[in-house]
């Protein structure tokens, strides 16, 4: 009885309140001077950073893994603070820009570099895998290709709050991006890439649920999704890295598109996958090294180990066997 009450009463009310709180923030920031709201958001981000010791420890740990222990931890602590402030201010600008849909509107705050790289790849007609890095403006990076006039799709996991999920999809679609739910979407992606569309894809975060390989990232093994290379092998699509950085000096952004990363064949498919995905990791690493204060160091990039992955896969196997045993008719 309690679970039904929670499901049918408490959860819908909670989702309703969260949605309208978020939507109100989107509306209200439009009526506050940008300079003031960015200053205020910087203070809020600083408060949260210094109030979350676990997050600070994670950031310092990851920076130490990436750049070594030779730097003083105080430097990493300051860098983590700047990361937090940058993300906080970018979130504020994302809310301020929610009605913007055109290049001209975004040009007030954005500089565009390297569009010729995307144009050249797009005109081949075989699709473009837009390899996006998780800098503070990654959501800006995701919808900039359609804003610039390139037919684009993005894959997303469903947000548990239905209203927020709807809001996210609306924000993407208003900029011309087709939103595709992650479940069983591979064939759809292949089909649309072969028609020449762009696909926003990110591989710089850890996830056991996505097929990957253990490859080098900042000199350490990191479980890395291989979908970008697999899709390129199957479709012939070009792989073009791109990212958005925040320019703190004048509170603007730069959306930068790098040259295509050629797909190189090796003797076997798995060797091709590993070799090319490693190249993608190397490009992302170089971007982060150039802008070390603009990446998600609070994310546990090196969390999954071969042992953890093996235990996870074993649990999934056992769960599937139990499902077959408990419901044999569904597999007949």
């Amino acid at each position: 009885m309690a679970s039904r009450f929670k499901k049918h009463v408490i959860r819908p009310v909670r989702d309703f309140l969260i949605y309208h709180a978020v939507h109100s923030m989107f509306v209200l920031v439009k009526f506050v001077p940008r300079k003031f709201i960015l200053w205020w958001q910087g203070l809020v981000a600083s408060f949260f950073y210094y109030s979350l010791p676990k997050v600070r420890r994670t950031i310092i740990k990851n920076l130490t893994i990436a750049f070594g222990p030779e730097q003083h931890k105080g430097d990493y602590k300051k860098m983590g603070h700047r990361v937090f402030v940058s993300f906080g201010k970018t979130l504020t600008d994302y809310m301020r820009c929610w009605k913007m849909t055109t290049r001209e509107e975004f040009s007030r705050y954005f500089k565009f570099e390297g569009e010729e790289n995307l144009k050249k790849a797009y005109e081949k007609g075989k699709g473009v895998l837009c390899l996006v890095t998780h800098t503070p403006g990654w959501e800006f990076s995701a919808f900039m290709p359609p804003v610039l006039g390139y037919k684009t799709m993005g894959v997303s996991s469903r947000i548990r709050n239905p209203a927020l999920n709807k809001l996210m999809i609306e924000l993407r679609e208003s900029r011309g991006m087709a939103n595709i739910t992650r479940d069983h979407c591979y064939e759809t992606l292949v089909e649309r890439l072969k028609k020449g569309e762009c696909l926003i894809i990110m591989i710089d975060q850890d996830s056991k649920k996505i097929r990957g390989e253990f490859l080098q990232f900042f000199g350490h093994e990191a479980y890395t999704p291989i979908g970008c290379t697999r899709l390129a092998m199957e479709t012939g699509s070009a792989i073009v890295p791109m990212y958005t950085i925040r320019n703190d000096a004048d509170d603007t952004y730069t959306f930068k598109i790098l040259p295509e990363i050629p797909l190189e064949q090796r003797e076997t498919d798995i060797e091709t996958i590993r070799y090319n995905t490693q190249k993608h990791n190397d490009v992302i690493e170089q971007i982060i090294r150039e802008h070390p204060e603009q990446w998600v160091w609070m994310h546990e990039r090196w969390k999954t180990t071969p042992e953890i992955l093996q235990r996870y896969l074993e649990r999934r196997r056992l769960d599937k066997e139990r499902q077959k045993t408990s419901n044999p008719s569904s597999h007949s």
Side-chain angles (χ1 to χ4, degrees):
M1 185 70 176
S3 61
R4 290 180 61 189
F5 182 76
K6 181 179 179 181
K7 179 179 179 181
H8 296 290
V9 179
I10 294 179
R11 189 176 296 167
V13 171
R14 181 200 63 189
D15 291 347
F16 175 85
L17 293 174
I18 291 174
Y19 169 76
H20 283 282
V22 172
H23 193 271
S24 298
M25 291 172 63
F26 275 73
V27 174
L28 288 174
V29 295
K30 295 287 290 182
F31 297 98
V32 182
R34 182 171 181 258
K35 188 174 182 179
F36 173 80
I37 197 69
L38 290 179
W39 170 80
W40 172 253
Q41 191 63 31
L43 289 181
V44 172
S46 296
F47 170 78
F48 277 106
Y49 178 70
Y50 289 110
S51 301
L52 300 169
K54 184 177 179 181
V55 173
R56 287 202 309 277
R57 287 194 297 269
T58 298
I59 291 173
I60 292 171
K61 180 186 74 173
N62 287 333
L63 286 167
T64 303
I65 291 172
F67 298 110
E70 59 272 12
Q71 287 197 41
H72 191 272
K73 284 189 176 180
D75 295 332
Y76 290 150
K77 187 175 180 180
K78 292 176 184 177
M79 188 181 294
H81 173 251
R82 290 194 287 271
V83 167
F84 240 65
V85 170
S86 185
F87 273 88
K89 290 184 175 181
T90 303
L91 175 61
T92 299
D93 275 334
Y94 181 71
M95 290 189 288
R96 287 184 66 88
C97 295
W98 73 300
K99 289 291 187 180
M100 293 184 182
T101 59
T102 67
R103 179 199 295 256
E104 291 71 26
E105 290 172 318
F106 279 104
S107 292
R108 294 172 56 192
Y109 305 115
F110 278 79
K111 302 166 188 173
F112 303 98
E113 295 183 5
E115 187 183 348
E116 66 277 4
N117 295 317
L118 177 55
K119 186 174 186 291
K120 182 179 177 181
Y122 190 80
E123 288 177 346
K124 294 179 182 179
K126 295 184 178 180
V128 181
L129 291 153
C130 301
L131 188 61
V132 171
T133 304
H134 276 93
T135 54
W138 78 76
E139 190 65 21
F140 284 127
S141 299
F143 61 65
M144 276 305 163
V147 166
L148 295 177
Y150 302 91
K151 194 169 184 181
T152 306
M153 57 182 161
V155 178
S156 67
S157 299
R158 190 181 301 277
I159 299 175
R160 289 185 64 182
N161 185 318
L164 285 181
N165 191 69
K166 182 174 181 288
L167 177 62
M168 178 197 70
I169 293 173
E170 288 174 351
L171 287 172
R172 290 185 168 188
E173 291 182 343
S174 69
R175 277 71 180 248
M177 178 194 287
N179 188 81
I180 298 174
T181 304
R182 185 178 299 278
D183 299 334
H184 310 296
C185 68
Y186 188 81
E187 294 304 321
T188 300
L189 301 183
V190 169
E191 180 183 348
R192 297 182 69 151
L193 281 168
K194 287 182 176 180
K195 292 179 180 178
E197 294 187 32
C198 294
L199 169 65
I200 303 301
I201 193 163
M202 304 178 185
I203 67 166
D204 60 340
Q205 288 198 335
D206 181 281
S207 176
K208 300 186 296 294
K209 297 180 180 180
I210 300 174
R211 285 184 62 183
E213 290 285 332
F214 287 98
L215 301 170
Q216 292 296 302
F217 192 61
F218 283 91
H220 300 272
E221 279 196 345
Y223 191 61
T224 306
I226 59 175
C228 185
T229 301
R230 287 180 62 213
L231 285 165
M233 291 169 64
E234 187 158 349
T235 64
S237 299
I239 301 168
V240 179
M242 55 190 68
Y243 60 98
T244 298
I245 58 168
R246 178 179 175 78
N247 306 306
D248 291 326
D250 59 1
D251 285 326
T252 62
Y253 298 86
T254 299
F255 176 56
K256 191 165 185 176
I257 304 171
L258 301 181
E260 176 185 348
I261 305 175
L263 182 72
E264 298 185 42
Q265 296 291 335
R266 288 296 182 261
E267 289 189 10
T268 65
D269 284 351
I270 189 59
E271 288 174 334
T272 299
I273 288 171
R274 287 183 59 85
Y275 180 81
N276 286 278
T277 307
Q278 182 62 61
K279 288 202 304 179
H280 305 161
N281 265 1
D282 293 343
V283 170
I284 294 169
E285 180 180 326
Q286 183 58 38
I287 292 169
I288 298 168
R289 286 186 180 276
E290 292 174 5
H291 309 281
E293 298 167 7
Q294 302 212 30
W295 192 67
V296 286
W297 294 108
M298 61 285 289
H299 170 70
E300 293 273 18
R301 182 64 185 91
W302 293 275
K303 182 176 182 179
T304 298
T305 64
E307 295 75 22
I308 289 174
L309 179 64
Q310 186 60 41
R311 289 198 295 269
Y312 170 75
L313 294 176
E314 181 63 16
R315 285 198 302 272
R316 283 187 59 185
R317 185 186 67 80
L318 293 174
D319 287 343
K320 287 181 179 179
E321 288 184 357
R322 280 194 290 269
Q323 289 174 5
K324 288 180 180 180
T325 303
S326 61
N327 191 15
S329 60
S330 64
H331 302 280
S332 59

